[in-house]
Amino acid sequence: MNWLFHQPTRAEKERDDIAELQESSPWLSGATARLIPGLKLAVDFTLAIGEDQLEFTLHYPDFFPDVPPSVIPKDPGRISGHQWGAGGELCLEYRADNWAPEYTGAMMISSSYRLLSGEAGDDKPPVPSAHNMSVGQEVRGSISRLLLTDSTKQHLLGVAPQEPVDFTFNDHWYAQTWFAQITSLALDGETFWSETPPYVEEIPTKRTGKAIRLRSDQRIPQSLTREKLQELMTGSPLEAWVRDQSPDVALSIILLKGGTVRLFSFFSDATAIKFETVDIPPAGERLPPSHAALAEKRVAIVGCGSVGSKVAVSLARAGVKLFELVDADLFYPGNIVRNELDLRAVGANKAKAVKREIIAVRPDADVTARNIALGGQEASDLTSGALKDLGKCDLIVDATADPTVFNLCALVSRNEKKPMAWAQVYAGGVGGLIARARPEIDPPPMFARAQIQNWYAAQNVPWLAEEGTDYDALPADQPPLVADDADVSVVAAHLTRLVIDTLTRGQTSIFPASAYCIGLAESWLFAAPFDTWPITYASEGTWGPTVEADAVERALAFMTGLLPKEEESEVAADAG
């Protein structure tokens, strides 16, 4: 959109206001309007600042007058302390954050004069800055950054003048940027501080270097060559170390001055890479206090597909750090449409790939990833071992929507008296189901699931999705379920909330029901998107394994009958 074609009256006013300003201001001359490529309006002008005649161009953007014009000097160097880099736009009192459509280009020219005349002369104090940039704005031009935690910074700033300190650091490439993270500090060969960086690759590049505080008469240079470094280190304890380094060997050094920490790394080039320092702010408490209990809970997630992968990572963000993941499938390109994983995981076992995502979110997580098909053709020992470990978890999530897997998870849940949660995404993206079964509060999972099926039938509304599908899991030989990432994410997010509630609140749940039918479209039972139907369980079934009244005595008799006579007494003693 070009404002000139829509507001010619405003364009004429801009021209006339600048002409009037030039006529009344001896410091302004040469104001000339012209069109630049793209049929954009620009005004060249000259400001008299002291004895200097400084030339500028006022550029009007396409979205003027709702967006401010920019004043750019023709001098390619830096002419002001309030400028976006050498040759860049002046940072004036009228900016994008306080601009109003009634402001004019003439006002921008006047503001430029006030700024530059206020800075002219060595005896004048700096012009106060209203410039408030975020850290992201300050470092956005850098592709090398040192991530500095508060602990790291405090220990570095405690280094005595001219006392060299050895340090180790990791670096990795991510989002078109090199990141460095210090891992340890040592003095005279003795490590006095170390830290495991919370932001690490699986196999980071590990490097070493030396840190030193500069003398009071030295400053940290904006750029650093090996020759300049040798000059800086002359007379310091690192003079010989720098001199003896081969140009072909990587060299890293941290220079300290006041509260500034700057990392430089030399590789094969004569000029070092300068890392912009990013102080990592304290994380602060962003989760409810009740979530602290999640760190001690082990959660089993059976099925690391579209629902399971999202639930796993979301639980890790919420505070869970103990996981048991079970899934034998591989990740394929077609899975990308609604899975937490990305194309880097193609060909990987889903359980192991989701483990990696959990570790990326929570590096201190303890994750067991089992690549087995629960309920499939597996060795009995593998299936038995997996079921045994599921029983040790504090909660079991079935994210497979597979009846066979559900039955196995339900068996463990009932026998070990462990809560279980599950979900289904209805075919066609119509909606989904989330449900749970809590020991001694809800019916055991098999009974709960049967009651949900009866509730479906009681609604007496025919299923309206694609022919040949229903609201249950699709057999493996049928086409993939049609639902997009948003559909799956809604169901997975609600299931995650149900899991967190179960682990942290017990009987004081915020959910009045333990199963919900959630609509995402006007279809089947649902009158509109987000139409939600709670499903209330009736009391039914008992928790715990089925035990016959005389089970112990009969089992003892059976086992002793299989053993040689001399071992019968040992069995009886063990049973007692």
Side-chain angles (χ1 to χ4, degrees):
M1 184 184 79
N2 190 321
W3 68 281
L4 289 172
F5 292 104
H6 299 279
Q7 302 184 60
T9 301
R10 178 61 186 262
E12 293 167 353
K13 182 179 187 306
E14 289 293 311
R15 179 196 60 198
D16 295 343
D17 284 354
I18 293 174
E20 182 179 336
L21 177 65
Q22 180 170 258
E23 185 176 345
S24 62
S25 305
W27 44 263
L28 174 61
S29 63
T32 305
R34 61 188 173 94
L35 290 177
I36 60 176
L39 295 180
K40 296 180 181 180
L41 179 63
V43 177
D44 297 319
F45 64 93
T46 300
L47 296 181
I49 307 296
E51 297 181 356
D52 297 324
Q53 297 290 316
L54 304 181
E55 296 181 337
F56 300 86
T57 301
L58 178 68
H59 289 266
Y60 285 87
D62 288 337
F63 292 94
F64 184 82
D66 298 302
V67 175
S70 55
V71 177
I72 301 176
K74 294 185 178 181
D75 187 329
R78 178 179 283 277
I79 65 169
S80 170
H82 300 262
Q83 187 177 3
W84 291 93
E89 176 183 347
L90 296 182
C91 183
L92 303 170
E93 60 196 288
Y94 306 113
R95 309 172 303 273
D97 59 332
N98 65 1
W99 179 259
E102 58 267 23
Y103 295 168
T104 67
M107 295 170 66
M108 296 293 287
I109 294 174
S110 296
S111 178
S112 301
Y113 175 75
R114 286 193 294 273
L115 168 65
L116 296 171
S117 60
E119 291 181 316
D122 297 333
D123 57 341
K124 291 189 177 181
V127 174
S129 175
H131 208 94
N132 185 22
M133 288 199 303
S134 68
V135 176
Q137 289 175 299
E138 291 175 348
V139 305
R140 62 189 172 192
S142 168
I143 62 168
S144 302
R145 300 172 191 172
L146 171 64
L147 305 182
L148 206 59
T149 64
D150 184 64
S151 174
T152 315
K153 187 172 185 177
Q154 293 307 313
H155 282 85
L156 279 171
L157 294 182
V159 172
Q162 296 294 290
E163 183 176 59
V165 169
D166 295 304
F167 69 93
T168 61
F169 68 104
N170 296 342
D171 66 23
H172 67 278
W173 175 259
Y174 180 78
Q176 298 180 304
T177 306
W178 279 110
F179 295 97
Q181 304 158 83
I182 298 173
T183 56
S184 70
L185 300 173
L187 186 62
D188 297 328
E190 295 291 329
T191 299
F192 63 87
W193 174 89
S194 63
E195 180 178 74
T196 300
Y199 335 100
V200 297
E201 288 287 290
E202 287 183 308
I203 307 177
T205 302
K206 299 181 180 180
R207 305 188 190 278
T208 61
K210 293 185 181 292
I212 191 167
R213 180 171 290 282
L214 297 179
R215 299 190 307 268
S216 59
D217 61 328
Q218 294 177 312
R219 65 179 182 84
I220 298 175
Q222 287 297 315
S223 62
L224 189 63
T225 63
R226 287 183 182 266
E227 182 180 354
K228 178 63 176 177
L229 178 60
Q230 184 68 60
E231 180 184 328
L232 272 175
M233 294 299 105
T234 298
S236 80
L238 292 183
E239 180 178 0
W241 177 75
V242 172
R243 183 186 63 239
D244 296 340
Q245 296 295 312
S246 169
D248 299 327
V249 176
L251 181 156
S252 294
I253 189 166
I254 290 176
L255 301 180
L256 307 169
K257 184 65 183 272
T260 301
V261 178
R262 181 75 70 214
L263 169 64
F264 293 91
S265 285
F266 291 93
F267 294 97
S268 59
D269 295 333
T271 301
I273 294 174
K274 181 178 73 172
F275 286 75
E276 291 293 337
T277 302
V278 176
D279 291 324
I280 303 299
E285 191 54 63
R286 304 189 183 198
L287 294 171
S290 59
H291 279 45
L294 294 174
E296 304 302 321
K297 305 294 186 181
R298 178 168 285 275
V299 176
I301 299 180
V302 182
C304 296
S306 55
V307 172
S309 63
K310 294 178 184 296
V311 171
V313 176
S314 185
L315 286 175
R317 296 184 194 279
V320 176
K321 67 176 184 179
L322 306 175
F323 289 90
E324 191 82 23
L325 307 179
V326 180
D327 197 315
D329 287 346
L330 301 183
F331 185 80
Y332 294 118
N335 300 131
I336 197 68
V337 297
R338 52 174 182 259
N339 198 290
E340 190 70 18
L341 303 174
D342 58 43
L343 290 174
R344 291 174 296 179
V346 169
N349 293 96
K350 288 181 179 178
K352 287 186 176 180
V354 171
K355 174 181 177 178
R356 183 186 185 281
E357 293 301 307
I358 291 173
I359 298 297
V361 168
R362 186 165 188 133
D364 63 341
D366 178 5
V367 186
T368 300
R370 291 180 177 270
N371 302 319
I372 70 168
L374 201 61
Q377 295 183 4
E378 293 280 9
S380 296
D381 287 347
L382 286 177
T383 299
S384 178
L387 294 177
K388 185 176 180 180
D389 286 342
L390 292 186
K392 297 176 183 178
C393 295
D394 295 287
L395 185 143
I396 301 167
V397 176
D398 172 28
T400 66
D402 182 294
T404 301
V405 176
F406 178 92
N407 290 341
L408 289 172
C409 293
L411 176 67
V412 175
S413 170
R414 186 199 67 188
N415 288 351
E416 300 297 333
K417 295 186 177 181
K418 298 295 178 70
M420 177 175 163
W422 63 97
Q424 294 170 340
V425 178
Y426 299 144
V430 170
L433 168 81
I434 61 169
R436 68 178 172 188
R438 297 164 293 171
E440 315 305 343
I441 300 175
D442 302 312
M446 289 183 181
F447 291 94
R449 188 175 189 276
Q451 290 188 25
I452 292 171
Q453 297 289 345
N454 291 336
W455 181 89
Y456 286 149
Q459 305 313 303
N460 198 30
V461 178
W463 178 242
L464 300 178
E466 300 174 14
E467 184 178 355
T469 68
D470 58 20
Y471 39 72
D472 268 330
L474 296 175
D477 58 352
Q478 289 196 14
L481 178 116
V482 175
D484 65 21
D485 191 68
D487 300 328
V488 173
S489 295
V490 170
V491 176
H494 284 305
L495 177 61
T496 302
R497 294 189 69 232
L498 205 60
V499 169
I500 293 172
D501 179 87
T502 305
L503 290 172
T504 60
R505 293 180 177 270
Q507 297 191 29
T508 60
S509 174
I510 63 172
F511 296 99
S514 280
Y516 291 88
C517 197
I518 304 166
L520 298 177
E522 183 183 354
S523 183
W524 191 37
L525 302 176
F526 309 118
F530 306 115
D531 184 10
T532 301
W533 295 65
I535 303 174
T536 304
Y537 299 144
S539 178
E540 183 181 10
T542 58
W543 287 84
T546 301
V547 180
E548 299 175 13
D550 55 351
V552 175
E553 293 80 2
R554 292 179 61 186
L556 179 60
F558 178 80
M559 287 186 289
T560 54
L562 299 176
L563 298 174
K565 294 295 183 180
E566 60 269 17
E567 296 185 22
E568 290 184 5
S569 58
E570 296 179 11
V571 174
D574 291 341

